[in-house]
Structures are given as C-alpha cells and as structure tokens.
Amino acid sequence: YKLEYVGYQSKVWAHRVNSLEKLNYTQKFYQGIELDLVFDSINNTFDVNHPPAESVNLNLDTYFSNISDKDLKLWLDFKNISKANAEKSAEILDQLTKKYSLKNENILVESTEINYLQNFKIKGFKTSFYLPQLVDLTDESKLIPTVDSIKQLLVKYPTSGISCNVNAYEVVNKYFKEERKYLWHIYKPYSRHQVKNYRDFRKYVSDSTVEAVLIQVDLPVRNR
C-alpha cells in the first residue's frame, strides 16, 4: 500500500517467505513471493531454508499444500543446485507443481549456477541467473571482462532473466539493458534515506524490463 508501489503492485513481491506463517500472511497481500530452497538428495525433498539458518524441517511439499492462491508467483532461490542434483530436483519440483495444481510458468528458479538451470527450463519453469557481484567492480578494466563472461554464459545457457540486488541496477541496466530483470530491494521501510529510496524504487519498478522487485516484509513471529 506504499506510495512507491502505486501502479506496479503486481511487480512488488515479498522477500524470504520461509515459514508457513509468513506464507499465509503474504499470499493475501502480494502477487508474488520469494523463498529459499536446499535440495536433499538422500530423501529427494526440498527443505525451505536459507543457510546458515538452522532448518526447521519445512519441506516444499508441505509449503505448496498451504498455497491457497494457485496463481501466486513464486521465486525459488535454489541454494545448492549441482550437477549431481539438477536433473532429479527439476523432476521433483515438476511433480510437486502438478500435485498442487500450480503453474510452472508462474515459478522462477534462480541460481548462481546457470548451466544447471536448463533442467528446469525444459520443464516449463522460468529461470534466472543470479549475477556475480558487479557493484564493487568500479574499475572498468575488471568490470568489462566480467560482463563479457556473463553475456557469453547467457548465450550458451539462455535463461528467462537475470537477478541482482538493486544496488547493481545502474550497472546491470547499462550492460544488460534488454534482459528481463528480477531485483531485490531489502532496505528498511523507514530510514533517513527514505526520499532517495522512494525515487530509486520508482525508477526501477517502472522499468519495463523489470519483472519483479522483492521487498522486506517483517512479521512479529516466524521471520526466517
């Protein structure tokens, strides 16, 4: 309901919704949410958790069973995707979406390991390459080679988009202007930089290439 969201509410998603309590709250007010996943290759299950936080043994099967809005957009930050689990985890995720009548095209799977995201792409999921740190590369002699290597990866392993912290927005917008973008903005709602944060937020949320912006949602309990 904040002024900076006006006209773009569908792009404003809740960040780190890693508990059922937070899920039940956020799905009432947001069209999309983000959660963190760790795949257990022994049991072939997803644990909803953001390491190094201690697991509370909330599996994705239970989580999906609590989604009442079947059109809810989901951003899945896959923390431990690897060559060993990519194919199986994509298969399990596809089984879970079918079980709970969720739409694969409404689900974004994000990882730093772009080459393994293809397993999810062929299942109909959206994918996003979690970009390496760019904002600290102020020296163009270091930045340009990094940008070039990212572009080469995107050609070799096409994704639905790229994702990064909003502090890298200017760099990303300059060098990846046409790419679809998924951003996270987790500044505190109220601070001495509120006016600047408002202006910045309006700039990138109104960008037609920005698909979603994650914002911090705090609850009295079960903030994981």
Side-chain angles (χ1 to χ4, degrees):
Y1 300 110
K2 293 184 174 66
L3 187 59
E4 56 262 44
Y5 304 164
V6 173
Y8 301 100
Q9 285 90 341
S10 63
K11 289 186 177 185
V12 180
W13 298 8
H15 178 255
R16 199 171 291 188
V17 183
N18 290 341
S19 71
L20 295 182
E21 291 85 354
K22 202 166 184 178
L23 168 63
N24 292 334
Y25 173 81
T26 54
Q27 68 178 322
K28 297 175 185 175
F29 301 104
Y30 298 89
Q31 294 184 36
I33 61 173
E34 183 259 1
L35 57 146
D36 302 290
L37 297 177
V38 176
F39 190 69
D40 177 352
S41 296
I42 296 175
N43 298 304
N44 288 327
T45 58
F46 284 99
D47 184 36
V48 181
N49 188 47
H50 187 294
E54 186 176 350
S55 172
V56 294
N57 298 315
L58 171 59
N59 64 62
L60 192 60
D61 194 322
T62 300
Y63 193 98
F64 277 0
S65 72
N66 280 265
I67 294 178
S68 55
D69 178 5
K70 300 303 181 183
D71 291 317
L72 185 68
K73 306 288 180 62
L74 301 174
W75 173 335
L76 310 180
D77 185 349
F78 195 162
K79 294 298 187 184
N80 69 329
I81 192 172
S82 67
K83 181 179 181 180
N85 67 28
E87 185 175 351
K88 188 63 178 180
S89 60
E91 180 185 325
I92 296 296
L93 183 59
D94 187 51
Q95 290 173 3
L96 289 176
T97 57
K98 288 179 169 61
K99 179 178 179 180
Y100 293 106
S101 301
L102 300 175
K103 301 170 184 175
N104 289 11
E105 62 267 26
N106 283 345
I107 298 176
L108 177 77
V109 180
E110 175 198 45
S111 175
T112 57
E113 305 296 329
I114 188 174
N115 48 321
Y116 301 131
L117 289 173
Q118 304 306 300
N119 294 274
F120 293 86
K121 183 178 180 180
I122 62 177
K123 297 285 188 184
F125 296 103
K126 290 184 177 178
T127 57
S128 182
F129 181 29
Y130 187 141
L131 296 183
Q133 185 66 269
L134 295 175
V135 70
D136 294 331
L137 299 177
T138 52
D139 183 347
E140 287 216 337
S141 66
K142 296 179 181 178
L143 175 61
I144 298 302
T146 302
V147 167
D148 288 343
S149 67
I150 292 171
K151 288 183 175 180
Q152 289 172 23
L153 284 171
L154 289 170
V155 170
K156 187 174 182 179
Y157 305 107
T159 60
S160 307
I162 54 180
S163 46
C164 66
N165 191 300
V166 296
N167 62 13
Y169 173 77
E170 297 299 337
V171 175
V172 169
N173 195 45
K174 178 179 180 179
Y175 293 102
F176 302 95
K177 196 166 187 65
E178 303 305 318
E179 295 286 341
R180 312 308 291 177
K181 301 171 185 67
Y182 297 85
L183 308 175
W184 56 93
H185 172 286
I186 51 177
Y187 302 134
K188 294 292 183 182
Y190 302 102
S191 75
R192 60 193 178 92
H193 303 297
Q194 193 171 345
V195 173
K196 181 181 184 304
N197 289 347
Y198 170 85
R199 290 173 178 165
D200 288 346
F201 192 93
R202 290 299 290 181
K203 178 168 58 178
Y204 46 73
V205 80
S206 62
D207 182 339
S208 62
T209 67
V210 171
E211 295 290 306
V213 183
L214 300 180
I215 56 108
Q216 184 170 312
V217 178
D218 289 331
L219 298 182
V221 294
R222 306 302 284 175
N223 266 310
R224 303 188 61 252

Short mmCIF file of all heavy atoms in Angstrom, two decimals, residues 21 69 111 118 130 142 147 151 161 167 183 202 214:
data_model
loop_
_atom_site.label_atom_id
_atom_site.label_comp_id
_atom_site.label_asym_id
_atom_site.label_seq_id
_atom_site.Cartn_x
_atom_site.Cartn_y
_atom_site.Cartn_z
N GLU A 21 3.76 -19.40 8.44
CA GLU A 21 3.11 -18.20 8.99
C GLU A 21 3.28 -17.02 8.03
O GLU A 21 2.33 -16.27 7.76
CB GLU A 21 3.69 -17.86 10.36
CG GLU A 21 3.34 -18.86 11.46
CD GLU A 21 4.30 -20.06 11.49
OE1 GLU A 21 5.17 -20.18 10.58
OE2 GLU A 21 4.18 -20.87 12.41
N ASP A 69 -3.72 -19.48 -3.17
CA ASP A 69 -3.82 -18.75 -4.43
C ASP A 69 -3.01 -19.50 -5.49
O ASP A 69 -1.79 -19.41 -5.53
CB ASP A 69 -3.30 -17.33 -4.25
CG ASP A 69 -3.33 -16.52 -5.55
OD1 ASP A 69 -3.86 -17.04 -6.56
OD2 ASP A 69 -2.82 -15.38 -5.55
N SER A 111 19.49 -19.33 -9.64
CA SER A 111 20.73 -19.92 -9.14
C SER A 111 21.93 -19.18 -9.70
O SER A 111 21.85 -18.55 -10.76
CB SER A 111 20.82 -21.40 -9.53
OG SER A 111 22.08 -21.94 -9.16
N GLN A 118 19.07 -25.26 -16.99
CA GLN A 118 18.42 -25.78 -18.20
C GLN A 118 17.48 -26.93 -17.87
O GLN A 118 16.49 -27.16 -18.57
CB GLN A 118 19.49 -26.22 -19.21
CG GLN A 118 20.49 -25.14 -19.58
CD GLN A 118 19.85 -23.87 -20.09
OE1 GLN A 118 19.14 -23.88 -21.09
NE2 GLN A 118 20.07 -22.77 -19.39
N TYR A 130 21.50 -15.73 -11.17
CA TYR A 130 21.86 -14.88 -10.04
C TYR A 130 23.26 -14.34 -10.33
O TYR A 130 24.23 -15.06 -10.26
CB TYR A 130 21.84 -15.73 -8.78
CG TYR A 130 22.03 -15.04 -7.45
CD1 TYR A 130 21.29 -15.45 -6.34
CD2 TYR A 130 22.96 -14.04 -7.26
CE1 TYR A 130 21.47 -14.87 -5.10
CE2 TYR A 130 23.15 -13.44 -6.03
CZ TYR A 130 22.40 -13.87 -4.95
OH TYR A 130 22.58 -13.29 -3.72
N LYS A 142 38.17 -4.29 -14.93
CA LYS A 142 37.72 -5.51 -14.24
C LYS A 142 36.27 -5.81 -14.55
O LYS A 142 35.86 -6.96 -14.67
CB LYS A 142 37.92 -5.38 -12.73
CG LYS A 142 39.36 -5.23 -12.30
CD LYS A 142 39.48 -5.09 -10.78
CE LYS A 142 40.94 -4.93 -10.36
NZ LYS A 142 41.07 -4.73 -8.89
N VAL A 147 31.42 -8.69 -17.32
CA VAL A 147 30.20 -8.51 -18.11
C VAL A 147 30.24 -9.39 -19.37
O VAL A 147 29.27 -10.06 -19.71
CB VAL A 147 30.01 -7.03 -18.50
CG1 VAL A 147 28.94 -6.88 -19.58
CG2 VAL A 147 29.64 -6.20 -17.27
N LYS A 151 27.68 -12.42 -20.46
CA LYS A 151 26.97 -12.42 -21.75
C LYS A 151 27.21 -13.72 -22.51
O LYS A 151 26.30 -14.25 -23.15
CB LYS A 151 27.39 -11.21 -22.58
CG LYS A 151 26.84 -9.88 -22.04
CD LYS A 151 27.23 -8.72 -22.94
CE LYS A 151 26.57 -7.43 -22.43
NZ LYS A 151 26.90 -6.25 -23.27
N GLY A 161 15.74 -14.60 -17.45
CA GLY A 161 16.20 -13.30 -17.00
C GLY A 161 17.42 -13.40 -16.12
O GLY A 161 18.03 -14.46 -15.98
N ASN A 167 21.25 -2.48 -5.75
CA ASN A 167 22.43 -1.60 -5.74
C ASN A 167 23.28 -1.78 -7.01
O ASN A 167 24.15 -0.97 -7.29
CB ASN A 167 23.27 -1.80 -4.48
CG ASN A 167 23.83 -3.20 -4.32
OD1 ASN A 167 23.80 -4.00 -5.26
ND2 ASN A 167 24.32 -3.51 -3.13
N LEU A 183 14.84 -8.22 -9.29
CA LEU A 183 15.64 -7.45 -8.34
C LEU A 183 15.18 -7.67 -6.90
O LEU A 183 14.02 -8.01 -6.66
CB LEU A 183 15.54 -5.95 -8.66
CG LEU A 183 15.82 -5.52 -10.10
CD1 LEU A 183 15.54 -4.02 -10.23
CD2 LEU A 183 17.25 -5.83 -10.51
N ARG A 202 10.98 3.87 -7.57
CA ARG A 202 10.10 4.21 -8.69
C ARG A 202 10.82 4.06 -10.03
O ARG A 202 10.22 3.68 -11.03
CB ARG A 202 9.58 5.64 -8.55
CG ARG A 202 8.59 5.84 -7.42
CD ARG A 202 7.33 5.02 -7.57
NE ARG A 202 6.47 5.48 -8.65
CZ ARG A 202 5.31 4.94 -8.95
NH1 ARG A 202 4.86 3.89 -8.27
NH2 ARG A 202 4.57 5.40 -9.94
N LEU A 214 11.74 -7.64 -5.08
CA LEU A 214 11.48 -8.19 -3.75
C LEU A 214 11.62 -7.09 -2.70
O LEU A 214 12.55 -6.30 -2.74
CB LEU A 214 12.46 -9.31 -3.42
CG LEU A 214 12.48 -10.53 -4.34
CD1 LEU A 214 13.52 -11.53 -3.84
CD2 LEU A 214 11.10 -11.18 -4.38
#
